[in-house]
Amino acid sequence: MTDTSTSIRMSAGTRIYLYVSLSLVAALVLVPLVATALGGFKSLGELRVNPFGLPREWHWSNYLDILFGDRYWRQMVNSLFIAVMTVFLTVVASAMAAFTLAHVKFFGANQLLNYFLIGLMFPAATAILPLFIRIRDLGLLDTYWGVILPQVAFGLGMSILLFRNYFRNLPEELFQAAFVDGCGYIRFFWHISLPLSRPIIATVSIISFVNSWNSYIVPLIMLNSETKYPWPLGIMVYRGEFGTQWQLVLAFITLTILPTIIVFFLAQKHIIAGLTAGAVKG
Amino acid sequence: MASVELNDIRKNYGTLEVIHGVSLTIEDGEFIALVGPSGCGKSTLLRMIAGLEEITDGEVMIAGKVVNPLTPRERNIAMVFQSYALYPHMTVAENMGFNLKLSGIAKPEIERRVSEAARMLALTDLLDRKPSQLSGGQRQRVAMGRAIVRDPAVFLFDEPLSNLDAKLRVQMRTEIKSLHQKVGTTSIYVTHDQIEAMTLADRIVVLNQGNIEQVGTPLELYRQPANLFVAGFIGSPAMNILDGIVDADNGQPAVRLGDGSAIRIAPQRKVRPGQPVKIGLRPEHFAPTGAGSIVSGRTLLVEPTGAQTHVLFEFAGSHVTAVVDGDHPARHGAHFEAVADGEKVYVFDGSTGVAL
Ligand SMILES: Nc1ncnc2c1ncn2[C@@H]1O[C@H](COP(=O)(O)OP(=O)(O)OP(=O)(O)O)[C@@H](O)[C@H]1O
Ligand SMILES: [Mg+2]
């Protein structure tokens, strides 16, 4: 699947076109990133006159101050905790729901599925007011759970859809063989479905992790105390405080993006495999 | 081990009935083959015995006990599937021991039984492999191993060899047969390959459109087919069927065919003169010489298979196949002549197809 080499010969023109267009796209992504990272090493004055080039003098202190302060780490931990709990609950709940919808025939199964899928059409922002009221009534305002639970709820639709399609594509005879071997639905789920679902679990986890990691509106509404802020809110606060010291803001942004980039490079192979799983039968 | 009894089994899918009242008694230790054309309900019947398909009406009894409401596990059956249905994430040993593990049997006991089954099936060296690292024949053996470790009351096979190539199929057929001789478990084997059914089974059940056409030993079915359907289904190449009217030929009972030629039939056939019938001639029953009616015509096709040659020739307005010795000088376009012994000519009622 990762082997993309092709035996079709390309003409020189095609090749040039490919390289030029791909370089353009890459530059579009990379230039701001690199400029941000380098900007964090400059002094404010240099940033004004030389926004894109290499810093004349490397100011490590911009980064080190942030790394040795506790604000950065607290935001990372907040974000991580919220994201991990969101992923865990989304995967567990949607895998179980999808398994039921895929394998158990019961009255109203289709209606129930449609009900979940309707959720796909509403972004969290449209429901923000009722959501706020509900969370307030539950007494979860300004807690991590006030952010995690709505995020899980809004992630369920997509995750159930992905899981259900995957479960339904497991061969029917496998289910029957397990049934003959003495599995009921629950044992089949634990012993057969889940171990075979690693690619789809990875996919769902990545999607919901990224959604949670980058989520802004739900924490903005639900959280009040800065100590609980995940990084997207933290950046806003930080920018409010150091609004004129752009080099610090840039360094802060670079550091908040860094974990995502590291994770992506580490898990690149799995992420791509997970996203294409089911699309192409490997 | 156990006997299996089906009492007037029916299956409906919505308003569509696909099994119409099947009754059958299978003795303890018997090997039964279920054969029939595609879509006749073989798999459905087998899956009802297995407990994978709801039984609309009728009773399934295993070892004298009605098992309709029981799960496959409670029925104590083991099933081998066409696609093998091995668990891809488990090793061969785990696959074979999975159901023992589920029943909470102690590890050493599982290991003992798995290794015993592995020895019987020559899988000992493969126990640590995953199914994806096995060949088709090896997967097939693992699927059988999974069935035998638990020592079930009944083995059920649903076309277990149809994914294998011709040579391996013959080899696995022998292995299944010798396995049955070793363990002696009651077995029900679904296939649409009549050779497989003939070679493996103690008795064959011929199904057609959800009805049993005939039950009998392979030779009974071959020698005394109850009707046209069984006659045409059992035997390869298939029996030649010709239309005719019962008549006499020099005082001997015979059937007059469309072109006026007469084929002698055995005197004990219960026919009356003038009755419209169909006669069946087995390709391998044509003899080069001897007593009987002469059957001849222009040769249309010659297919040598080695020891024997199949000759397709024109006779009485139809195409007739004969199996002759490999040395036979049959040639395309030449005149072909053979003798049909009246004792071996089958006669069926012209409208109902019942053997006479
Ligand atoms: N879920 C279903 N709904 C409706 N009809 C069905 C269903 N399953 C099977 N049938 C019908 O029942 C009949 C018997 O099917 P079955 O699978 O038992 O055939 P089979 O004898 O095993 O054929 P094959 O040799 O092709 O496997 C077929 O006509 C099929 O169309
Ligand atoms: Mg079938």
Side-chain angles (χ1 to χ4, degrees):
Chain A
M1 211 182 303
T2 47
D3 182 11
T4 51
S5 67
T6 161
S7 55
I8 300 171
R9 290 183 64 102
M10 281 182 289
S11 72
T14 320
R15 210 176 275 269
I16 291 171
Y17 169 75
L18 271 179
Y19 279 112
V20 168
S21 55
L22 287 178
S23 309
L24 268 177
V25 174
L28 221 55
V29 177
L30 277 180
V31 166
L33 270 181
V34 172
T36 308
L38 291 179
F41 287 106
K42 296 172 186 170
S43 68
L44 189 57
E46 192 190 346
L47 200 57
R48 290 244 168 79
V49 292
N50 173 24
F52 292 109
L54 283 176
R56 237 176 300 126
E57 201 178 328
W58 294 79
H59 292 273
W60 290 93
S61 62
N62 294 348
Y63 281 96
L64 292 180
D65 286 350
I66 295 169
L67 282 176
F68 286 114
D70 62 348
R71 181 201 289 257
Y72 171 76
W73 295 108
R74 202 173 53 231
Q75 288 171 13
M76 283 294 134
V77 170
N78 287 344
S79 270
L80 197 67
F81 178 76
I82 292 174
V84 166
M85 289 313 289
T86 305
V87 168
F88 177 76
L89 289 179
T90 308
V91 167
V92 169
S94 58
M96 294 197 295
F99 181 83
T100 313
L101 290 168
H103 283 295
V104 187
K105 293 188 187 75
F106 60 93
F107 178 75
N110 276 332
Q111 285 78 353
L112 199 60
L113 178 68
N114 288 337
Y115 174 76
F116 281 124
L117 296 189
I118 286 174
L120 278 178
M121 295 195 289
F122 297 98
T126 57
I128 210 71
L129 185 62
L131 206 56
F132 176 79
I133 295 172
R134 177 51 30 92
I135 294 294
R136 187 193 60 196
D137 293 350
L138 290 173
L140 292 176
L141 276 187
D142 204 24
T143 63
Y144 292 127
W145 293 105
V147 178
I148 294 167
L149 293 178
Q151 285 185 4
V152 171
F154 279 96
L156 277 183
M158 189 64 180
S159 314
I160 288 178
L161 192 69
L162 288 170
F163 267 117
R164 174 173 167 272
N165 287 348
Y166 192 85
F167 287 153
R168 274 158 60 104
N169 287 337
L170 290 180
E172 179 72 15
E173 286 199 341
L174 208 56
F175 178 60
Q176 293 172 352
F179 199 39
V180 169
D181 265 342
C183 285
Y185 285 115
I186 294 180
R187 280 172 153 178
F188 179 68
F189 177 70
W190 279 112
H191 290 295
I192 314 286
S193 286
L194 272 193
L196 290 178
S197 307
R198 274 212 300 256
I200 199 73
I201 292 177
T203 309
V204 169
S205 303
I206 289 162
I207 292 178
S208 75
F209 188 91
V210 169
N211 278 344
S212 166
W213 187 259
N214 293 332
S215 133
Y216 178 72
I217 188 94
V218 176
L220 179 70
I221 302 297
M222 302 302 169
L223 299 178
N224 293 327
S225 38
E226 209 201 310
T227 49
K228 297 207 173 74
Y229 277 4
W231 70 264
L233 292 185
I235 282 190
M236 298 313 286
V237 174
Y238 193 85
R239 213 189 60 186
E241 270 174 48
F242 299 90
T244 47
Q245 290 172 282
W246 277 101
Q247 80 281 21
L248 289 182
V249 176
L250 291 183
F252 198 85
I253 290 176
T254 309
L255 284 174
T256 47
I257 299 174
L258 204 59
T260 337
I261 294 178
I262 293 174
V263 167
F264 180 79
F265 277 113
L266 288 181
Q268 194 180 24
K269 226 162 80 181
H270 303 280
I271 292 175
I272 290 167
L275 290 176
T276 51
V280 192
K281 212 161 165 251
Chain B
M1 282 203 267
S3 62
V4 176
E5 205 172 310
L6 309 183
N7 286 330
D8 202 24
I9 297 288
R10 286 167 196 279
K11 176 70 192 178
N12 291 5
Y13 284 114
T15 54
L16 177 75
E17 190 171 80
V18 295
I19 303 282
H20 317 282
V22 165
S23 298
L24 181 67
T25 305
I26 300 168
E27 303 295 334
D28 190 4
E30 225 180 350
F31 198 117
I32 290 283
L34 276 177
V35 297
S38 186
C40 69
K42 307 179 293 287
S43 299
T44 307
L45 192 60
L46 192 76
R47 291 152 48 82
M48 284 197 283
I49 299 172
L52 292 171
E53 196 87 61
E54 194 132 347
I55 301 166
T56 310
D57 198 16
E59 281 178 348
V60 174
M61 293 169 57
I62 296 181
K65 209 173 99 202
V66 177
V67 296
N68 286 32
L70 303 186
T71 64
R73 180 191 190 70
E74 292 162 337
R75 294 179 193 203
N76 195 18
I77 56 101
M79 188 153 172
V80 177
F81 294 87
Q82 179 175 351
S83 66
Y84 320 133
L86 300 177
Y87 311 122
H89 58 297
M90 299 185 193
T91 64
V92 169
E94 286 167 342
N95 260 286
M96 288 168 57
F98 184 56
N99 86 83
L100 299 178
K101 187 175 128 192
L102 290 184
S103 9
I105 289 174
K107 258 222 172 103
E109 170 70 5
I110 296 181
E111 264 165 37
R112 195 186 60 73
R113 279 160 76 169
V114 167
S115 67
E116 188 187 312
R119 197 156 28 79
M120 207 185 294
L121 292 162
L123 287 171
T124 309
D125 297 335
L126 307 175
L127 283 177
D128 293 327
R129 297 225 195 142
K130 292 272 174 70
S132 57
Q133 300 163 319
L134 300 177
S135 72
Q138 290 166 338
R139 285 180 208 184
Q140 182 58 55
R141 285 210 292 272
V142 176
M144 294 201 303
R146 192 166 64 176
I148 61 177
V149 282
R150 50 190 295 200
D151 193 18
V154 186
F155 277 146
L156 304 173
F157 298 87
D158 193 353
E159 310 208 19
L161 304 185
S162 53
N163 282 356
L164 302 178
D165 65 51
K167 198 167 164 201
L168 201 51
R169 204 175 323 176
V170 174
Q171 185 193 332
M172 290 307 298
R173 201 167 77 197
T174 332
E175 286 190 24
I176 292 181
K177 182 145 193 167
S178 69
L179 183 72
H180 181 252
Q181 279 159 357
K182 258 185 264 178
V183 298
T185 308
T186 314
S187 304
I188 307 177
Y189 187 102
V190 164
T191 174
H192 57 244
D193 179 348
Q194 48 116 357
I195 305 272
E196 231 168 82
M198 299 281 280
T199 49
L200 281 171
D202 297 322
R203 283 194 301 156
I204 298 179
V205 177
V206 182
L207 272 181
N208 184 26
Q209 299 187 347
N211 287 306
I212 292 187
E213 294 281 352
Q214 191 175 2
V215 182
T217 64
L219 286 183
E220 270 168 23
L221 259 55
Y222 179 76
R223 292 194 180 134
Q224 294 132 31
N227 51 46
L228 261 180
F229 181 83
V230 177
F233 196 79
I234 303 287
S236 169
M239 185 187 274
N240 302 292
I241 308 287
L242 301 168
D243 285 307
I245 306 276
V246 176
D247 198 356
D249 180 32
N250 291 334
Q252 300 276 341
V255 170
R256 181 85 47 202
L257 302 180
D259 69 339
S261 52
I263 301 284
R264 296 257 178 99
I265 58 173
Q268 65 270 23
R269 304 281 182 213
K270 297 177 213 62
V271 293
R272 49 184 168 70
Q275 181 181 5
V277 292
K278 290 185 195 297
I279 59 166
L281 300 167
R282 287 225 184 264
E284 56 276 28
H285 285 169
F286 288 109
T289 54
S293 324
I294 294 201
V295 175
S296 65
R298 199 165 61 87
T299 307
L300 298 173
L301 200 65
V302 179
E303 294 178 324
T305 64
Q308 295 168 329
T309 299
H310 299 179
V311 180
L312 183 74
F313 63 100
E314 221 168 11
F315 173 65
S318 353
H319 294 175
V320 173
T321 308
V323 173
V324 296
D325 196 85
D327 300 330
H328 194 283
R331 250 184 333 100
H332 172 76
H335 185 74
F336 177 84
E337 191 171 293
V339 176
D341 179 359
E343 287 294 329
K344 291 180 172 169
V345 175
Y346 299 89
V347 184
F348 305 96
D349 187 281
S351 50
T352 63
V354 173
L356 299 170

